Structure formats: C-alpha cells, structure tokens
Amino acid sequence: MPTDWIMGLFGGLLIGGAAAIFLLVNGRIMGASGIIGGLVDRSGLGNWTEKAALIAGLIIVPAIMTLAMGVKPTYLTENLLVIAIAGIFVGVGTRIANGCTSGHGVCGISRLSLRGIVATVFYIGAGGLTVVLFKHVLGVI
Amino acid sequence: MRNFMAFIVGSLFGAGLLISGMTDTKKVQGWLDVFGDWDPTLAFVMGGAIVPMAVAWRFVEGRKPMLRDHFDAASDPKVGRKLVVGSVLFGIGWGLAGLCPGPALASLSFGGFGGIIFLIAMLAGMLWAPKLRKVLD
C-alpha cells in the first residue's frame, strides 16, 4: 500500500538521521546488535553509559508513542519454540557477522562497504529462503 | 553530553522503526516473501535510512566527531567465513520471526510475551556468540 511506503520512507529517514547524528556527533556506528551485544558479552563496556542511554531511548520512545497513538501490533508468531529458535539465531548470527540490519545494512551500504553489502545479500537471501521454506513448503510460520 | 545525544539517537531510531512499520513482523516477512504477497516497504525504509548516512559519511573524511576525538575505527575489511556464516544464521532467525535486534527492543513495551521471549533468546545467542566465533576462526 503506497501509504505504508511513504511511512516507510519517512521512518527510514529518521533511522538514517539518527545514525548520521551518532556518527558525526558521537563518532560511533549505530549498529543495534553491536550496541546490545557489546553489553551482553562485556566486550563493549568501555562506553556502556552511551550504549545504555541509546537503548533507553530506543525502548522508551516507542512505548510513549504507542501509549499516545495506540498500539501497533507486531503480529509476532505465537509459536514460542519458533520465537526462541529465531531469537537465538538472530543473537548469535549478528554477533558472529559483527552487524545486523542497522550496522551492515544502513551504516555499511551507505559507505559502500563490501562487508556491509555481502552481509546484507546473505541475510536477506537466507531470510527469503527461510520464509519460502517455512511458510510455503512446511507451513510452520 | 555524549550520553544525552545517545539517548536522542536511540529515540529517533525507535520512532523511525515504529513509524516505518519495521516493528510489524508481517511487513518484514512480507518483504522476504518473494513468492507470496510481496511487500516492498522495507526497501523504502532501507533507502530512506541510507540517504542521510551516505551524506554523513562524506563529512567524515579529515574531520573529527563533535564530541569525541576520533571516529570508530573501520572494522576488519575481510569478507570471511564469520561474516557469511553469521549473516546466514541471522537471516534464518530474521525470516522465522520477522524481528531483528533494533525492532526487538523498540517493540519491547508492546510486543507482549512473545516479544520478551524473543529478546531473552537473542541475548542468550549473543552471550553464546564469542564461543562459536572461536570455532570459526
């Protein structure tokens, strides 16, 4: 639906604007998996207050927005086994690849980084095959 | 001041994810579902996000960040096994649930029990990653 595309573009500009501020002001890459993962495995505790502040904004602002404008459902599957397996794969995969949709996708592709482009090709490819297999062939999701 | 700016950055990031529809797992899976009812929204989000960042990268050359004395060092430029294996694992999980790390946090307050389970599993995966990384080295 074109309205969704316009909202997507506008939301995307906000995401990219946020990443641009983090780079030009704080000198850092806005990669969600690196920011979260660096706290989890303690490899990125050097600037933990910065990471914690970013995570706080990332959680609190959507909470306030949904309180004010109504909840946007996530339509997440109710199959807890699928959720748990998916979560583990996302956690382990993004940390081994050293980046996710924000780090490799947004921050990497925008500087024409080969790593960012290769990572994005592989995670979109694997994601596409997964949806085809688990939705259309196996009917699990 | 850096912490305050990081909070602003997280706030804009969260607002952008919510507005763009990236906390809606059906939209993400719809983008990946090339053989089903394909939803191109994610391409608009990615495109919109890449533009300001592409401009920002042009300002980096020969300059310093406003609140720090250097930029994050560019990561190891090698396209290796870890990058490919990790991205494939990430893609499988992303396809299964339709959530990646940013939206998993942004939707935490309204994503229900499933969203919390996803986040806990993701954190567990992140905790486990350094061990698997050693195996791949």
Side-chain angles (χ1 to χ4, degrees):
Chain A
M1 208 193 322
T3 318
D4 288 8
W5 302 351
I6 294 165
M7 294 305 270
L9 191 64
F10 177 60
L13 286 168
L14 283 178
I15 298 167
I21 294 171
F22 206 41
L23 180 70
L24 296 177
V25 177
N26 291 38
R28 296 191 185 275
I29 301 292
M30 193 189 77
S33 59
I35 290 164
I36 308 164
L39 294 180
V40 172
D41 66 17
R42 309 174 71 84
S43 64
L45 287 183
N47 64 332
W48 72 270
T49 52
E50 221 172 331
K51 291 186 167 85
L54 191 149
I55 290 171
L58 181 54
I59 295 174
I60 292 169
V61 167
I64 295 170
M65 286 171 73
T66 49
L67 277 178
M69 304 184 307
V71 170
K72 277 189 169 184
T74 59
Y75 300 109
L76 183 62
T77 172
E78 285 171 7
N79 187 329
L80 291 179
L81 184 65
V82 170
I83 293 176
I85 292 170
I88 292 170
F89 272 65
V90 168
V92 93
T94 53
R95 288 302 282 159
I96 289 175
N98 212 6
C100 57
T101 342
S102 45
H104 279 315
V106 176
C107 299
I109 292 178
S110 60
R111 80 194 300 192
L112 299 177
S113 141
L114 182 63
R115 274 174 62 84
I117 293 166
V118 169
T120 303
V121 166
F122 275 98
Y123 67 69
I124 288 182
L129 287 174
T130 302
V131 170
V132 169
L133 180 65
F134 285 87
K135 186 177 176 188
H136 298 296
V137 181
L138 301 171
V140 182
I141 57 171
Chain B
M1 192 60 194
R2 278 212 296 248
N3 294 334
F4 174 73
M5 287 311 295
F7 180 77
I8 298 296
V9 166
S11 302
L12 288 172
F13 189 14
L17 286 170
L18 187 72
I19 290 168
S20 63
M22 291 300 97
T23 54
D24 177 346
T25 61
K26 289 276 169 289
K27 280 207 139 343
V28 175
Q29 288 177 326
W31 150 262
L32 293 171
D33 191 8
V34 282
F35 294 114
D37 189 11
W38 189 62
D39 184 338
T41 307
L42 193 140
F44 286 87
V45 182
M46 267 284 184
I50 284 171
V51 171
M53 247 340 246
V55 175
W57 281 121
R58 294 187 160 263
F59 279 92
V60 167
E61 209 60 45
R63 288 193 178 88
K64 281 181 178 181
M66 285 167 67
L67 297 177
R68 200 182 175 202
D69 56 6
H70 64 282
F71 289 100
D72 264 347
S75 57
D76 174 10
K78 202 176 104 227
V79 175
R81 201 161 36 173
K82 280 184 293 186
L83 185 78
V84 172
V85 172
S87 296
V88 167
L89 292 177
F90 165 40
I92 293 170
W94 194 41
L96 279 176
L99 279 177
C100 49
L105 284 181
S107 66
L108 188 64
S109 60
F110 58 93
F113 184 62
I116 294 167
I117 296 296
F118 182 88
L119 185 67
I120 293 171
M122 185 179 90
L123 297 178
M126 287 177 164
L127 200 56
W128 183 46
K131 284 206 179 101
L132 196 59
R133 212 183 278 144
K134 276 194 197 118
V135 177
L136 289 168
D137 269 332

